[in-house]
Amino acid sequence: MDLALDQATKWLELFGDEIEKNKAYLSDLDTPIGDADHGFNMARGMEAVETSLAQKAPADLAGLFKQTAMALITKVGGASGPLYGTAFLEMSKQAAQTSELNSLLAAALAGIKKRGGAAAGDKTMVDVWEAVLPELAQGTLTDAKIDEAVEATKPLIAKKGRASYLGERSKGHIDPGAMSSGYLFKALLKAVA
Amino acid sequence: MKKIINDPSQVVAEMVDGLVRSYPDIVELIPETEAVVRADSDTMEGKVGLISGGGSGHEPAHAGFVGKGMLSAAVCGQVFTSPTPDQIYEAIKAADHGKGVFMVVKNYSGDVMNFDMAKDLAEMDDIRVKSIVVDDDIAVENSLYTQGRRGVAGTILMHKILGAAADQGASLDEIAALAQAVLPHIKTIGVALNAATVPEVGKPGFELKEDEIEYGVGIHSEPGYRTEKIKPSNELCQELLGKLDSELHLSEDKSYAVLVNGMGATPLMEQYIFSHDLLNQLEEKGIKPDFMRVGNYMTSIDMAGLSLTILELADEAWLDYLRYPVKTIAWNN
Ligand SMILES: Nc1ncnc2c1ncn2[C@@H]1O[C@H](COP(=O)(O)OP(=O)(O)OP(=O)(O)O)[C@@H](O)[C@H]1O
Ligand SMILES: [Mg+2]
């Protein structure tokens, strides 16, 4: 399906709400296997996205994603800033050619993997993206499937990011970036419904 | 939490402002950023720029090492959080005087990615940028399949060596080669008596009992490799030196530089006592360091503890670089 500008705008709005609502929870997830800042980092970023979009309404999908990327890149910091920032920057580039949702998201995932070097199974946000994209393409994605993908990071041993310093001890905890990506896809489902 | 601060969300901005206004002859603020650059830009004319940075909370790193003979500029991120690419990019521009810019990055996924993005931005502006990722902390096992080892206090010796080379006119490629040559010879290991308290969090990153210590704790209170009862300084030293020895294979036929680094809340008195034990234990191995520094170089806010860095001086020139004259807030030769 093609993603329309108003759907994408709605998507970002819903994602921002979800992050704001769950910022403490995300930082809590980041406490045992990280440095307790993921929720605050993302909330700072999505607030900047909101401000940027309120100041200047983007003309098209490419513009919307570019503004989003720049706000995230300049405000989030940490590991998730460049990762989500790259995802939206790649979607912006892709949107110049097509507004087909699956190809936009495929470009975003390729960007995240290139930037962070993580693969599926490394206990990062990449796990959720890898699980969700094929389901979305087949039209079979549901909230429950997103939850499943997030939950699936729990038994894994982290191989990338701060959590990897813990080795075996990273088992038994949900990855915070996987959770925030879960919110991203739930917001998307709602926005395009 | 008891700290001399105002609003916890303003600690970095106020700290950087205080720092540049206290030492106006050495550093100045890069407008609209929390990054600093040498006050005397003449000292950078015709030379490769050298920048570093990372989360704040490690003072005097890195802004305290900006000055002639060391860094050209430094970027101060939020406390324990990597700075953003736009800020790093401003530091690159301020440090560039036509010969390119070299970045010293500590090995954390956030830092590595943000500095990488800044490099992409600079290259679009035709500024040549190269970098080294320092991973001197031997507390974490090295592995290709993880983030690898963290960058800690040994990074300061990298700044010193590269800064001296840059000041003497080394090219960007020469500096990159020097950094690669030095890196495998720097190893660091630390011990913590308690964790740091991030102002916005308000409580320590982990709890140790009154009589406990932990070996291998990182500079953001990352967990170490073993918790034990507190021991006399000479036994702590034995543990840390033993770890470094198994990596570096210390030998009386080789030359070494040593950095005893306080983590923020450990008095210099204790650091000198540790140094006394260290020098005795090295002497038993027939080793007398050719270069040594003791003090707070790479701290972790108010963490108590210290780290020990040993650099094997595999090339004689490195010793000259370490001794090369420098004028910064925190290191003066
Ligand atoms: N190399 C990577 N590839 C993909 N995702 C990663 C990578 N490194 C970290 N992540 C994701 O980022 C999340 C953590 O983001 P967060 O905002 O907490 O940054 P951080 O790692 O704490 O950065 P910093 O160390 O600079 O504070 C993890 O849960 C993980 O999903
Ligand atoms: Mg974190």
Side-chain angles (χ1 to χ4, degrees):
Chain A
M1 67 164 279
D2 282 334
L3 187 67
L5 179 60
D6 62 330
Q7 286 175 314
T9 309
K10 183 87 198 148
W11 174 24
L12 290 168
E13 243 174 65
L14 290 169
F15 180 48
D17 291 348
E18 210 55 29
I19 290 289
E20 181 57 33
K21 207 162 66 195
N22 293 293
K23 64 182 175 191
Y25 175 57
L26 287 172
S27 288
D28 282 350
L29 288 179
D30 196 28
T31 303
I33 58 168
D35 53 355
D37 61 356
H38 185 59
F40 303 123
N41 289 347
M42 291 302 295
R44 192 166 59 237
M46 288 313 292
E47 204 184 297
V49 170
E50 200 187 312
T51 311
S52 161
L53 297 178
Q55 267 166 7
K56 181 172 161 253
D60 54 18
L61 213 50
L64 173 74
F65 289 148
K66 173 115 192 265
Q67 263 176 263
T68 304
M70 290 322 287
L72 293 174
I73 289 167
T74 55
K75 278 293 173 318
V76 178
S80 44
L83 290 167
Y84 279 110
T86 300
F88 282 101
L89 208 55
E90 292 303 320
M91 283 200 277
S92 170
K93 284 190 213 160
Q94 191 72 5
Q97 264 123 72
T98 170
S99 50
E100 203 282 312
L101 180 59
N102 295 303
S103 65
L104 292 174
L105 291 172
L109 174 58
I112 292 176
K113 287 166 80 172
K114 181 152 178 274
R115 181 66 62 198
D122 287 354
K123 196 182 181 101
T124 68
M125 59 178 75
V126 169
D127 290 318
V128 169
W129 284 72
E130 289 275 16
V132 159
L133 263 45
E135 296 273 357
L136 187 72
Q138 288 162 28
T140 51
L141 187 67
T142 58
D143 277 6
K145 287 206 172 128
I146 296 171
D147 287 337
E148 230 171 82
V150 172
E151 198 67 27
T153 62
K154 202 167 176 174
L156 299 176
I157 297 175
K159 304 236 172 61
K160 282 281 180 286
R162 290 194 154 276
S164 71
Y165 303 134
L166 291 166
E168 284 278 336
R169 287 176 286 173
S170 63
K171 271 188 184 174
H173 302 280
I174 291 174
D175 175 65
M179 182 56 91
S180 60
S181 284
Y183 295 145
L184 182 72
F185 289 112
K186 283 190 183 176
L188 177 64
L189 278 185
K190 241 195 231 171
V192 300
Chain B
M1 177 176 68
K2 202 150 64 167
K3 287 184 191 293
I4 303 174
I5 58 172
N6 299 304
D7 175 355
S9 72
Q10 294 303 310
V11 290
V12 176
E14 293 181 0
M15 168 190 79
V16 174
D17 181 69
L19 180 123
V20 295
R21 286 166 64 198
S22 304
Y23 296 93
D25 54 325
I26 302 180
V27 287
E28 62 186 38
L29 194 67
I30 301 174
E32 322 243 322
T33 69
E34 278 155 4
V36 308
V37 62
R38 285 188 207 170
D40 185 356
S41 70
D42 283 358
T43 63
M44 300 189 283
E45 233 23 82
K47 290 167 188 167
V48 169
L50 184 66
I51 73 159
S52 189
S56 291
H58 307 303
E59 295 65 31
H62 294 275
F65 301 109
V66 172
K68 181 173 159 53
M70 222 161 160
L71 299 179
S72 313
V75 199
C76 310
Q78 286 304 303
V79 178
F80 288 2
T81 297
S82 166
T84 54
D86 52 314
Q87 300 248 331
I88 301 166
Y89 173 50
E90 291 303 321
I92 291 174
K93 283 196 287 188
D96 178 46
H97 285 74
K99 299 282 158 130
V101 174
F102 193 80
M103 316 192 292
V104 182
V105 184
K106 303 196 294 305
N107 191 28
Y108 299 95
S109 55
D111 283 341
V112 171
M113 288 188 268
N114 283 293
F115 277 83
D116 246 19
M117 291 192 88
K119 182 176 170 197
D120 291 352
L121 293 174
E123 281 167 351
M124 285 194 261
D125 269 2
D126 290 326
I127 302 178
R128 275 186 78 210
V129 179
K130 292 197 164 200
S131 62
I132 186 94
V133 178
V134 180
D135 59 351
D136 55 317
D137 189 352
I138 62 168
V140 185
E141 273 318 307
N142 211 356
S143 160
L144 272 181
Y145 306 104
T146 69
Q147 187 61 39
R149 288 176 162 173
R150 303 177 290 239
V152 288
T155 309
I156 309 304
L157 298 180
M158 185 65 91
H159 292 345
K160 183 68 186 74
I161 289 173
L162 301 184
D167 199 57
Q168 292 173 79
S171 71
L172 185 59
D173 291 333
E174 284 164 351
I175 290 175
L178 176 61
Q180 288 296 345
V182 170
L183 184 66
H185 298 288
I186 310 180
K187 304 288 173 203
T188 300
I189 186 77
V191 60
L193 277 52
N194 61 35
T197 298
V198 174
E200 280 197 284
V201 177
K203 52 177 198 279
F206 61 84
E207 293 289 347
L208 280 176
K209 296 208 187 76
E210 182 53 37
D211 60 347
E212 275 177 358
I213 56 153
E214 185 162 324
Y215 294 114
V217 172
I219 55 173
H220 312 94
S221 299
E222 296 95 337
Y225 63 85
R226 199 168 76 233
T227 306
E228 300 190 333
K229 295 262 182 258
I230 178 80
K231 293 204 161 82
S233 165
N234 65 17
E235 289 175 41
L236 294 178
C237 183
Q238 228 155 26
E239 168 74 22
L240 300 189
L241 192 56
K243 281 273 171 196
L244 289 171
D245 195 8
S246 61
E247 289 273 330
L248 287 168
H249 311 292
L250 301 172
S251 146
E252 56 188 343
D253 303 325
K254 292 179 185 161
S255 166
Y256 298 99
V258 170
L259 173 64
V260 172
N261 172 61
M263 290 294 188
T266 288
L268 278 169
M269 185 175 74
E270 293 171 29
Q271 296 179 39
Y272 290 132
I273 292 169
F274 180 89
S275 300
H276 149 91
D277 293 314
L278 174 69
L279 290 166
N280 283 344
Q281 288 176 28
L282 284 173
E283 210 167 72
E284 283 164 24
K285 295 182 191 289
I287 295 168
K288 186 173 179 300
D290 285 302
F291 186 91
M292 183 155 172
R293 288 272 162 164
V294 184
N296 298 340
Y297 287 77
M298 175 76 81
T299 60
S300 179
I301 314 181
D302 55 352
M303 183 158 115
L306 51 76
S307 66
L308 173 59
T309 302
I310 299 184
L311 161 61
E312 183 193 326
L313 298 166
D315 183 330
E316 281 171 26
W318 302 354
L319 184 58
D320 296 331
Y321 290 141
L322 287 171
R323 291 176 172 158
Y324 186 78
V326 60
K327 188 185 173 207
T328 69
I329 296 171
W331 187 318
N332 292 291
N333 271 17

